[in-house]
PDB file of all heavy atoms in Angstrom:
ATOM      1  N   GLY X   1     -34.688 -96.885-189.839  1.00 95.00           N
ATOM      2  CA  GLY X   1     -34.838 -95.463-189.568  1.00 95.00           C
ATOM      3  C   GLY X   1     -35.222 -94.689-190.818  1.00 95.00           C
ATOM      4  O   GLY X   1     -35.503 -95.266-191.881  1.00 95.00           O
ATOM      5  N   ASP X   2     -35.216 -93.360-190.700  1.00 95.00           N
ATOM      6  CA  ASP X   2     -35.537 -92.508-191.841  1.00 95.00           C
ATOM      7  C   ASP X   2     -34.572 -92.761-193.000  1.00 95.00           C
ATOM      8  O   ASP X   2     -34.961 -92.685-194.169  1.00 95.00           O
ATOM      9  CB  ASP X   2     -35.474 -91.039-191.434  1.00 95.00           C
ATOM     10  CG  ASP X   2     -36.617 -90.636-190.505  1.00 95.00           C
ATOM     11  OD1 ASP X   2     -37.660 -91.308-190.528  1.00 95.00           O
ATOM     12  OD2 ASP X   2     -36.449 -89.657-189.754  1.00 95.00           O
ATOM     13  N   GLY X   3     -33.308 -93.067-192.677  1.00 94.00           N
ATOM     14  CA  GLY X   3     -32.328 -93.353-193.722  1.00 94.00           C
ATOM     15  C   GLY X   3     -32.647 -94.623-194.474  1.00 94.00           C
ATOM     16  O   GLY X   3     -32.431 -94.712-195.694  1.00 94.00           O
ATOM     17  N   THR X   4     -33.183 -95.631-193.770  1.00 97.00           N
ATOM     18  CA  THR X   4     -33.584 -96.880-194.431  1.00 97.00           C
ATOM     19  C   THR X   4     -34.750 -96.631-195.372  1.00 97.00           C
ATOM     20  O   THR X   4     -34.779 -97.138-196.498  1.00 97.00           O
ATOM     21  CB  THR X   4     -33.961 -97.939-193.386  1.00 97.00           C
ATOM     22  OG1 THR X   4     -32.933 -98.034-192.395  1.00 97.00           O
ATOM     23  CG2 THR X   4     -34.134 -99.302-194.043  1.00 97.00           C
ATOM     24  N   MET X   5     -35.719 -95.847-194.901  1.00 97.00           N
ATOM     25  CA  MET X   5     -36.844 -95.486-195.765  1.00 97.00           C
ATOM     26  C   MET X   5     -36.354 -94.718-196.989  1.00 97.00           C
ATOM     27  O   MET X   5     -36.794 -94.959-198.117  1.00 97.00           O
ATOM     28  CB  MET X   5     -37.865 -94.655-194.986  1.00 97.00           C
ATOM     29  CG  MET X   5     -39.036 -94.155-195.813  1.00 97.00           C
ATOM     30  SD  MET X   5     -40.098 -95.471-196.451  1.00 97.00           S
ATOM     31  CE  MET X   5     -41.120 -95.777-194.994  1.00 97.00           C
ATOM     32  N   ASN X   6     -35.409 -93.791-196.770  1.00 97.00           N
ATOM     33  CA  ASN X   6     -34.878 -93.016-197.881  1.00 97.00           C
ATOM     34  C   ASN X   6     -34.207 -93.903-198.912  1.00 97.00           C
ATOM     35  O   ASN X   6     -34.393 -93.724-200.120  1.00 97.00           O
ATOM     36  CB  ASN X   6     -33.895 -91.960-197.368  1.00 97.00           C
ATOM     37  CG  ASN X   6     -33.297 -91.138-198.480  1.00 97.00           C
ATOM     38  OD1 ASN X   6     -32.220 -91.419-198.982  1.00 97.00           O
ATOM     39  ND2 ASN X   6     -34.021 -90.105-198.899  1.00 97.00           N
ATOM     40  N   GLU X   7     -33.430 -94.878-198.431  1.00 97.00           N
ATOM     41  CA  GLU X   7     -32.751 -95.761-199.372  1.00 97.00           C
ATOM     42  C   GLU X   7     -33.757 -96.601-200.149  1.00 97.00           C
ATOM     43  O   GLU X   7     -33.568 -96.865-201.341  1.00 97.00           O
ATOM     44  CB  GLU X   7     -31.760 -96.661-198.646  1.00 97.00           C
ATOM     45  CG  GLU X   7     -30.861 -97.433-199.608  1.00 97.00           C
ATOM     46  CD  GLU X   7     -29.791 -98.251-198.916  1.00 97.00           C
ATOM     47  OE1 GLU X   7     -29.382 -97.888-197.792  1.00 97.00           O
ATOM     48  OE2 GLU X   7     -29.359 -99.256-199.513  1.00 97.00           O
ATOM     49  N   ALA X   8     -34.836 -97.017-199.490  1.00 98.00           N
ATOM     50  CA  ALA X   8     -35.870 -97.786-200.197  1.00 98.00           C
ATOM     51  C   ALA X   8     -36.470 -96.965-201.337  1.00 98.00           C
ATOM     52  O   ALA X   8     -36.735 -97.494-202.426  1.00 98.00           O
ATOM     53  CB  ALA X   8     -36.959 -98.217-199.221  1.00 98.00           C
ATOM     54  N   LEU X   9     -36.661 -95.666-201.103  1.00 98.00           N
ATOM     55  CA  LEU X   9     -37.242 -94.814-202.144  1.00 98.00           C
ATOM     56  C   LEU X   9     -36.373 -94.749-203.387  1.00 98.00           C
ATOM     57  O   LEU X   9     -36.883 -94.556-204.497  1.00 98.00           O
ATOM     58  CB  LEU X   9     -37.467 -93.401-201.600  1.00 98.00           C
ATOM     59  CG  LEU X   9     -38.500 -93.234-200.495  1.00 98.00           C
ATOM     60  CD1 LEU X   9     -38.572 -91.789-200.045  1.00 98.00           C
ATOM     61  CD2 LEU X   9     -39.868 -93.721-200.964  1.00 98.00           C
ATOM     62  N   GLN X  10     -35.059 -94.907-203.207  1.00 97.00           N
ATOM     63  CA  GLN X  10     -34.163 -94.862-204.367  1.00 97.00           C
ATOM     64  C   GLN X  10     -34.379 -96.061-205.276  1.00 97.00           C
ATOM     65  O   GLN X  10     -34.021 -96.018-206.460  1.00 97.00           O
ATOM     66  CB  GLN X  10     -32.697 -94.797-203.919  1.00 97.00           C
ATOM     67  CG  GLN X  10     -32.372 -93.757-202.856  1.00 97.00           C
ATOM     68  CD  GLN X  10     -32.997 -92.398-203.095  1.00 97.00           C
ATOM     69  OE1 GLN X  10     -32.960 -91.845-204.197  1.00 97.00           O
ATOM     70  NE2 GLN X  10     -33.597 -91.840-202.036  1.00 97.00           N
ATOM     71  N   GLY X  11     -34.959 -97.140-204.743  1.00 97.00           N
ATOM     72  CA  GLY X  11     -35.187 -98.342-205.544  1.00 97.00           C
ATOM     73  C   GLY X  11     -36.614 -98.492-206.041  1.00 97.00           C
ATOM     74  O   GLY X  11     -36.937 -99.484-206.699  1.00 97.00           O
ATOM     75  N   ILE X  12     -37.468 -97.518-205.730  1.00 95.00           N
ATOM     76  CA  ILE X  12     -38.873 -97.596-206.128  1.00 95.00           C
ATOM     77  C   ILE X  12     -39.160 -96.544-207.193  1.00 95.00           C
ATOM     78  O   ILE X  12     -39.121 -95.339-206.903  1.00 95.00           O
ATOM     79  CB  ILE X  12     -39.804 -97.378-204.917  1.00 95.00           C
ATOM     80  CG1 ILE X  12     -39.536 -98.442-203.848  1.00 95.00           C
ATOM     81  CG2 ILE X  12     -41.268 -97.411-205.345  1.00 95.00           C
ATOM     82  CD1 ILE X  12     -40.326 -98.226-202.562  1.00 95.00           C
ATOM     83  N   PRO X  13     -39.435 -96.934-208.426  1.00 90.00           N
ATOM     84  CA  PRO X  13     -39.766 -95.955-209.473  1.00 90.00           C
ATOM     85  C   PRO X  13     -41.006 -95.148-209.098  1.00 90.00           C
ATOM     86  O   PRO X  13     -41.904 -95.659-208.413  1.00 90.00           O
ATOM     87  CB  PRO X  13     -40.021 -96.829-210.710  1.00 90.00           C
ATOM     88  CG  PRO X  13     -39.374 -98.138-210.408  1.00 90.00           C
ATOM     89  CD  PRO X  13     -39.453 -98.317-208.931  1.00 90.00           C
ATOM     90  N   GLU X  14     -41.038 -93.910-209.525  1.00 83.00           N
ATOM     91  CA  GLU X  14     -42.155 -93.038-209.167  1.00 83.00           C
ATOM     92  C   GLU X  14     -43.498 -93.572-209.644  1.00 83.00           C
ATOM     93  O   GLU X  14     -44.530 -93.354-209.016  1.00 83.00           O
ATOM     94  CB  GLU X  14     -41.914 -91.632-209.726  1.00 83.00           C
ATOM     95  CG  GLU X  14     -40.809 -90.875-208.998  1.00 83.00           C
ATOM     96  CD  GLU X  14     -40.582 -89.494-209.580  1.00 83.00           C
ATOM     97  OE1 GLU X  14     -41.570 -88.822-209.927  1.00 83.00           O
ATOM     98  OE2 GLU X  14     -39.412 -89.084-209.719  1.00 83.00           O
ATOM     99  N   GLN X  15     -43.495 -94.300-210.758  1.00 82.00           N
ATOM    100  CA  GLN X  15     -44.753 -94.794-211.297  1.00 82.00           C
ATOM    101  C   GLN X  15     -45.186 -96.112-210.681  1.00 82.00           C
ATOM    102  O   GLN X  15     -46.282 -96.614-210.959  1.00 82.00           O
ATOM    103  CB  GLN X  15     -44.654 -94.955-212.821  1.00 82.00           C
ATOM    104  CG  GLN X  15     -43.755 -96.097-213.291  1.00 82.00           C
ATOM    105  CD  GLN X  15     -42.300 -95.687-213.399  1.00 82.00           C
ATOM    106  OE1 GLN X  15     -41.918 -94.633-212.905  1.00 82.00           O
ATOM    107  NE2 GLN X  15     -41.493 -96.496-214.068  1.00 82.00           N
ATOM    108  N   ALA X  16     -44.366 -96.707-209.814  1.00 89.00           N
ATOM    109  CA  ALA X  16     -44.687 -98.001-209.227  1.00 89.00           C
ATOM    110  C   ALA X  16     -45.873 -97.891-208.274  1.00 89.00           C
ATOM    111  O   ALA X  16     -46.020 -96.897-207.550  1.00 89.00           O
ATOM    112  CB  ALA X  16     -43.471 -98.558-208.492  1.00 89.00           C
ATOM    113  N   GLN X  17     -46.720 -98.898-208.270  1.00 93.00           N
ATOM    114  CA  GLN X  17     -47.865 -98.950-207.371  1.00 93.00           C
ATOM    115  C   GLN X  17     -47.448 -99.668-206.091  1.00 93.00           C
ATOM    116  O   GLN X  17     -47.425-100.895-206.021  1.00 93.00           O
ATOM    117  CB  GLN X  17     -49.035 -99.668-208.048  1.00 93.00           C
ATOM    118  CG  GLN X  17     -49.556 -98.979-209.291  1.00 93.00           C
ATOM    119  CD  GLN X  17     -50.100 -97.598-208.983  1.00 93.00           C
ATOM    120  OE1 GLN X  17     -50.964 -97.448-208.109  1.00 93.00           O
ATOM    121  NE2 GLN X  17     -49.618 -96.583-209.684  1.00 93.00           N
ATOM    122  N   VAL X  18     -47.109 -98.892-205.068  1.00 96.00           N
ATOM    123  CA  VAL X  18     -46.568 -99.431-203.824  1.00 96.00           C
ATOM    124  C   VAL X  18     -47.273 -98.781-202.640  1.00 96.00           C
ATOM    125  O   VAL X  18     -47.503 -97.570-202.630  1.00 96.00           O
ATOM    126  CB  VAL X  18     -45.046 -99.178-203.715  1.00 96.00           C
ATOM    127  CG1 VAL X  18     -44.508 -99.669-202.365  1.00 96.00           C
ATOM    128  CG2 VAL X  18     -44.302 -99.855-204.845  1.00 96.00           C
ATOM    129  N   ILE X  19     -47.608 -99.603-201.650  1.00 97.00           N
ATOM    130  CA  ILE X  19     -48.073 -99.099-200.361  1.00 97.00           C
ATOM    131  C   ILE X  19     -46.980 -99.385-199.346  1.00 97.00           C
ATOM    132  O   ILE X  19     -46.561-100.530-199.175  1.00 97.00           O
ATOM    133  CB  ILE X  19     -49.394 -99.759-199.936  1.00 97.00           C
ATOM    134  CG1 ILE X  19     -50.521 -99.382-200.902  1.00 97.00           C
ATOM    135  CG2 ILE X  19     -49.769 -99.344-198.517  1.00 97.00           C
ATOM    136  CD1 ILE X  19     -51.843-100.056-200.608  1.00 97.00           C
ATOM    137  N   LEU X  20     -46.507 -98.337-198.674  1.00 98.00           N
ATOM    138  CA  LEU X  20     -45.404 -98.455-197.733  1.00 98.00           C
ATOM    139  C   LEU X  20     -45.910 -98.475-196.299  1.00 98.00           C
ATOM    140  O   LEU X  20     -46.767 -97.671-195.913  1.00 98.00           O
ATOM    141  CB  LEU X  20     -44.429 -97.284-197.897  1.00 98.00           C
ATOM    142  CG  LEU X  20     -43.591 -97.263-199.184  1.00 98.00           C
ATOM    143  CD1 LEU X  20     -42.907 -95.918-199.340  1.00 98.00           C
ATOM    144  CD2 LEU X  20     -42.549 -98.374-199.163  1.00 98.00           C
ATOM    145  N   GLY X  21     -45.375 -99.413-195.531  1.00 98.00           N
ATOM    146  CA  GLY X  21     -45.561 -99.419-194.088  1.00 98.00           C
ATOM    147  C   GLY X  21     -44.227 -99.107-193.432  1.00 98.00           C
ATOM    148  O   GLY X  21     -43.168 -99.354-194.012  1.00 98.00           O
ATOM    149  N   TYR X  22     -44.270 -98.575-192.214  1.00 98.00           N
ATOM    150  CA  TYR X  22     -43.037 -98.120-191.572  1.00 98.00           C
ATOM    151  C   TYR X  22     -43.027 -98.535-190.106  1.00 98.00           C
ATOM    152  O   TYR X  22     -43.939 -98.186-189.347  1.00 98.00           O
ATOM    153  CB  TYR X  22     -42.933 -96.602-191.705  1.00 98.00           C
ATOM    154  CG  TYR X  22     -41.641 -95.990-191.210  1.00 98.00           C
ATOM    155  CD1 TYR X  22     -40.417 -96.642-191.348  1.00 98.00           C
ATOM    156  CD2 TYR X  22     -41.639 -94.741-190.609  1.00 98.00           C
ATOM    157  CE1 TYR X  22     -39.238 -96.068-190.903  1.00 98.00           C
ATOM    158  CE2 TYR X  22     -40.460 -94.149-190.162  1.00 98.00           C
ATOM    159  CZ  TYR X  22     -39.267 -94.820-190.308  1.00 98.00           C
ATOM    160  OH  TYR X  22     -38.099 -94.256-189.868  1.00 98.00           O
ATOM    161  N   ILE X  23     -42.005 -99.309-189.738  1.00 98.00           N
ATOM    162  CA  ILE X  23     -41.754 -99.643-188.339  1.00 98.00           C
ATOM    163  C   ILE X  23     -40.490 -98.901-187.947  1.00 98.00           C
ATOM    164  O   ILE X  23     -39.383 -99.328-188.269  1.00 98.00           O
ATOM    165  CB  ILE X  23     -41.597-101.164-188.153  1.00 98.00           C
ATOM    166  CG1 ILE X  23     -42.869-101.887-188.611  1.00 98.00           C
ATOM    167  CG2 ILE X  23     -41.288-101.499-186.689  1.00 98.00           C
ATOM    168  CD1 ILE X  23     -42.770-103.402-188.579  1.00 98.00           C
ATOM    169  N   PRO X  24     -40.607 -97.746-187.299  1.00 97.00           N
ATOM    170  CA  PRO X  24     -39.447 -96.869-187.079  1.00 97.00           C
ATOM    171  C   PRO X  24     -38.525 -97.388-185.972  1.00 97.00           C
ATOM    172  O   PRO X  24     -38.921 -97.479-184.812  1.00 97.00           O
ATOM    173  CB  PRO X  24     -40.086 -95.538-186.687  1.00 97.00           C
ATOM    174  CG  PRO X  24     -41.409 -95.915-186.090  1.00 97.00           C
ATOM    175  CD  PRO X  24     -41.849 -97.155-186.792  1.00 97.00           C
ATOM    176  N   THR X  25     -37.294 -97.711-186.358  1.00 95.00           N
ATOM    177  CA  THR X  25     -36.300 -98.164-185.377  1.00 95.00           C
ATOM    178  C   THR X  25     -35.009 -97.370-185.540  1.00 95.00           C
ATOM    179  O   THR X  25     -33.918 -97.894-185.316  1.00 95.00           O
ATOM    180  CB  THR X  25     -36.024 -99.674-185.526  1.00 95.00           C
ATOM    181  OG1 THR X  25     -35.566 -99.947-186.860  1.00 95.00           O
ATOM    182  CG2 THR X  25     -37.264-100.502-185.247  1.00 95.00           C
ATOM    183  N   GLY X  26     -35.126 -96.122-185.932  1.00 88.00           N
ATOM    184  CA  GLY X  26     -33.952 -95.275-186.116  1.00 88.00           C
ATOM    185  C   GLY X  26     -33.688 -94.410-184.901  1.00 88.00           C
ATOM    186  O   GLY X  26     -34.319 -94.575-183.840  1.00 88.00           O
ATOM    187  N   SER X  27     -32.770 -93.462-185.052  1.00 79.00           N
ATOM    188  CA  SER X  27     -32.444 -92.553-183.952  1.00 79.00           C
ATOM    189  C   SER X  27     -33.193 -91.235-184.064  1.00 79.00           C
ATOM    190  O   SER X  27     -33.404 -90.555-183.056  1.00 79.00           O
ATOM    191  CB  SER X  27     -30.931 -92.289-183.915  1.00 79.00           C
ATOM    192  OG  SER X  27     -30.477 -91.775-185.157  1.00 79.00           O
ATOM    193  N   SER X  28     -33.623 -90.856-185.269  1.00 84.00           N
ATOM    194  CA  SER X  28     -34.346 -89.598-185.447  1.00 84.00           C
ATOM    195  C   SER X  28     -35.850 -89.806-185.572  1.00 84.00           C
ATOM    196  O   SER X  28     -36.644 -89.179-184.887  1.00 84.00           O
ATOM    197  CB  SER X  28     -33.823 -88.854-186.679  1.00 84.00           C
ATOM    198  OG  SER X  28     -32.478 -88.474-186.505  1.00 84.00           O
ATOM    199  N   ASN X  29     -36.255 -90.689-186.485  1.00 92.00           N
ATOM    200  CA  ASN X  29     -37.668 -91.049-186.663  1.00 92.00           C
ATOM    201  C   ASN X  29     -38.556 -89.829-186.910  1.00 92.00           C
ATOM    202  O   ASN X  29     -39.654 -89.721-186.361  1.00 92.00           O
ATOM    203  CB  ASN X  29     -38.182 -91.844-185.458  1.00 92.00           C
ATOM    204  CG  ASN X  29     -37.456 -93.163-185.269  1.00 92.00           C
ATOM    205  OD1 ASN X  29     -37.093 -93.832-186.235  1.00 92.00           O
ATOM    206  ND2 ASN X  29     -37.229 -93.551-184.028  1.00 92.00           N
ATOM    207  N   ASP X  30     -38.079 -88.896-187.742  1.00 94.00           N
ATOM    208  CA  ASP X  30     -38.862 -87.692-188.007  1.00 94.00           C
ATOM    209  C   ASP X  30     -40.116 -87.979-188.821  1.00 94.00           C
ATOM    210  O   ASP X  30     -41.141 -87.319-188.635  1.00 94.00           O
ATOM    211  CB  ASP X  30     -37.988 -86.655-188.720  1.00 94.00           C
ATOM    212  CG  ASP X  30     -36.948 -86.048-187.797  1.00 94.00           C
ATOM    213  OD1 ASP X  30     -37.336 -85.520-186.741  1.00 94.00           O
ATOM    214  OD2 ASP X  30     -35.749 -86.114-188.114  1.00 94.00           O
ATOM    215  N   LEU X  31     -40.049 -88.960-189.726  1.00 97.00           N
ATOM    216  CA  LEU X  31     -41.234 -89.324-190.500  1.00 97.00           C
ATOM    217  C   LEU X  31     -42.318 -89.851-189.568  1.00 97.00           C
ATOM    218  O   LEU X  31     -43.485 -89.453-189.665  1.00 97.00           O
ATOM    219  CB  LEU X  31     -40.869 -90.364-191.556  1.00 97.00           C
ATOM    220  CG  LEU X  31     -42.013 -90.842-192.454  1.00 97.00           C
ATOM    221  CD1 LEU X  31     -42.577 -89.696-193.276  1.00 97.00           C
ATOM    222  CD2 LEU X  31     -41.538 -91.966-193.383  1.00 97.00           C
ATOM    223  N   ALA X  32     -41.935 -90.748-188.667  1.00 97.00           N
ATOM    224  CA  ALA X  32     -42.900 -91.300-187.713  1.00 97.00           C
ATOM    225  C   ALA X  32     -43.446 -90.218-186.795  1.00 97.00           C
ATOM    226  O   ALA X  32     -44.636 -90.211-186.443  1.00 97.00           O
ATOM    227  CB  ALA X  32     -42.243 -92.408-186.897  1.00 97.00           C
ATOM    228  N   ARG X  33     -42.580 -89.299-186.387  1.00 96.00           N
ATOM    229  CA  ARG X  33     -42.992 -88.212-185.483  1.00 96.00           C
ATOM    230  C   ARG X  33     -44.100 -87.379-186.116  1.00 96.00           C
ATOM    231  O   ARG X  33     -45.089 -87.031-185.461  1.00 96.00           O
ATOM    232  CB  ARG X  33     -41.786 -87.330-185.144  1.00 96.00           C
ATOM    233  CG  ARG X  33     -42.102 -86.175-184.210  1.00 96.00           C
ATOM    234  CD  ARG X  33     -40.849 -85.364-183.875  1.00 96.00           C
ATOM    235  NE  ARG X  33     -39.966 -86.098-182.977  1.00 96.00           N
ATOM    236  CZ  ARG X  33     -38.817 -86.679-183.342  1.00 96.00           C
ATOM    237  NH1 ARG X  33     -38.420 -86.608-184.621  1.00 96.00           N
ATOM    238  NH2 ARG X  33     -38.071 -87.320-182.482  1.00 96.00           N
ATOM    239  N   ASP X  34     -43.966 -87.062-187.386  1.00 95.00           N
ATOM    240  CA  ASP X  34     -44.944 -86.201-188.044  1.00 95.00           C
ATOM    241  C   ASP X  34     -46.223 -86.948-188.399  1.00 95.00           C
ATOM    242  O   ASP X  34     -47.299 -86.345-188.450  1.00 95.00           O
ATOM    243  CB  ASP X  34     -44.330 -85.585-189.302  1.00 95.00           C
ATOM    244  CG  ASP X  34     -44.956 -84.238-189.639  1.00 95.00           C
ATOM    245  OD1 ASP X  34     -45.365 -83.528-188.706  1.00 95.00           O
ATOM    246  OD2 ASP X  34     -45.036 -83.904-190.826  1.00 95.00           O
ATOM    247  N   LEU X  35     -46.118 -88.258-188.626  1.00 97.00           N
ATOM    248  CA  LEU X  35     -47.287 -89.037-189.036  1.00 97.00           C
ATOM    249  C   LEU X  35     -47.956 -89.770-187.876  1.00 97.00           C
ATOM    250  O   LEU X  35     -48.901 -90.533-188.085  1.00 97.00           O
ATOM    251  CB  LEU X  35     -46.884 -90.057-190.112  1.00 97.00           C
ATOM    252  CG  LEU X  35     -46.362 -89.485-191.428  1.00 97.00           C
ATOM    253  CD1 LEU X  35     -46.018 -90.603-192.391  1.00 97.00           C
ATOM    254  CD2 LEU X  35     -47.376 -88.534-192.055  1.00 97.00           C
ATOM    255  N   ASN X  36     -47.445 -89.548-186.654  1.00 97.00           N
ATOM    256  CA  ASN X  36     -47.994 -90.216-185.469  1.00 97.00           C
ATOM    257  C   ASN X  36     -47.933 -91.741-185.568  1.00 97.00           C
ATOM    258  O   ASN X  36     -48.843 -92.448-185.123  1.00 97.00           O
ATOM    259  CB  ASN X  36     -49.437 -89.767-185.210  1.00 97.00           C
ATOM    260  CG  ASN X  36     -49.539 -88.307-184.817  1.00 97.00           C
ATOM    261  OD1 ASN X  36     -48.766 -87.813-184.004  1.00 97.00           O
ATOM    262  ND2 ASN X  36     -50.480 -87.601-185.425  1.00 97.00           N
ATOM    263  N   ILE X  37     -46.845 -92.244-186.148  1.00 98.00           N
ATOM    264  CA  ILE X  37     -46.605 -93.683-186.192  1.00 98.00           C
ATOM    265  C   ILE X  37     -45.886 -94.062-184.900  1.00 98.00           C
ATOM    266  O   ILE X  37     -44.878 -93.452-184.549  1.00 98.00           O
ATOM    267  CB  ILE X  37     -45.750 -94.073-187.409  1.00 98.00           C
ATOM    268  CG1 ILE X  37     -46.507 -93.747-188.710  1.00 98.00           C
ATOM    269  CG2 ILE X  37     -45.364 -95.548-187.372  1.00 98.00           C
ATOM    270  CD1 ILE X  37     -45.678 -93.952-189.962  1.00 98.00           C
ATOM    271  N   PRO X  38     -46.370 -95.065-184.168  1.00 97.00           N
ATOM    272  CA  PRO X  38     -45.738 -95.425-182.884  1.00 97.00           C
ATOM    273  C   PRO X  38     -44.300 -95.892-183.075  1.00 97.00           C
ATOM    274  O   PRO X  38     -43.977 -96.544-184.067  1.00 97.00           O
ATOM    275  CB  PRO X  38     -46.615 -96.579-182.368  1.00 97.00           C
ATOM    276  CG  PRO X  38     -47.892 -96.494-183.133  1.00 97.00           C
ATOM    277  CD  PRO X  38     -47.553 -95.899-184.465  1.00 97.00           C
ATOM    278  N   THR X  39     -43.445 -95.539-182.118  1.00 94.00           N
ATOM    279  CA  THR X  39     -42.068 -96.025-182.152  1.00 94.00           C
ATOM    280  C   THR X  39     -41.950 -97.403-181.509  1.00 94.00           C
ATOM    281  O   THR X  39     -40.914 -98.039-181.624  1.00 94.00           O
ATOM    282  CB  THR X  39     -41.115 -95.053-181.442  1.00 94.00           C
ATOM    283  OG1 THR X  39     -41.593 -94.793-180.121  1.00 94.00           O
ATOM    284  CG2 THR X  39     -41.035 -93.742-182.209  1.00 94.00           C
ATOM    285  N   ASP X  40     -42.990 -97.851-180.829  1.00 96.00           N
ATOM    286  CA  ASP X  40     -43.014 -99.227-180.340  1.00 96.00           C
ATOM    287  C   ASP X  40     -43.252-100.152-181.529  1.00 96.00           C
ATOM    288  O   ASP X  40     -44.254-100.011-182.246  1.00 96.00           O
ATOM    289  CB  ASP X  40     -44.123 -99.418-179.309  1.00 96.00           C
ATOM    290  CG  ASP X  40     -44.248-100.863-178.865  1.00 96.00           C
ATOM    291  OD1 ASP X  40     -43.411-101.317-178.062  1.00 96.00           O
ATOM    292  OD2 ASP X  40     -45.159-101.575-179.361  1.00 96.00           O
TER     293      ASP X  40
END
C-alpha cells in the first residue's frame, strides 16, 4: 500500500538513481488513484 511505498522511500537516498514500480495492494491506494495505476 501507500505505507509500504512510504517506508521504501525512507531507505532510498535522494541522490540514488532508482525507477519505482508500484503494484497497489493497500486499503487507500491514493498514489495509484492519482497516477491511474490499476489496482488489479
Side-chain angles (χ1 to χ4, degrees):
D2 290 336
T4 310
M5 176 65 82
N6 179 265
E7 190 175 333
L9 294 178
Q10 311 315 313
I12 300 175
E14 288 179 40
Q15 70 274 13
Q17 297 298 306
V18 176
I19 295 176
L20 290 168
Y22 186 35
I23 301 175
T25 58
S27 57
S28 296
N29 298 324
D30 288 305
L31 180 63
R33 180 178 288 106
D34 208 31
L35 297 180
N36 293 316
I37 296 173
T39 54
D40 175 77

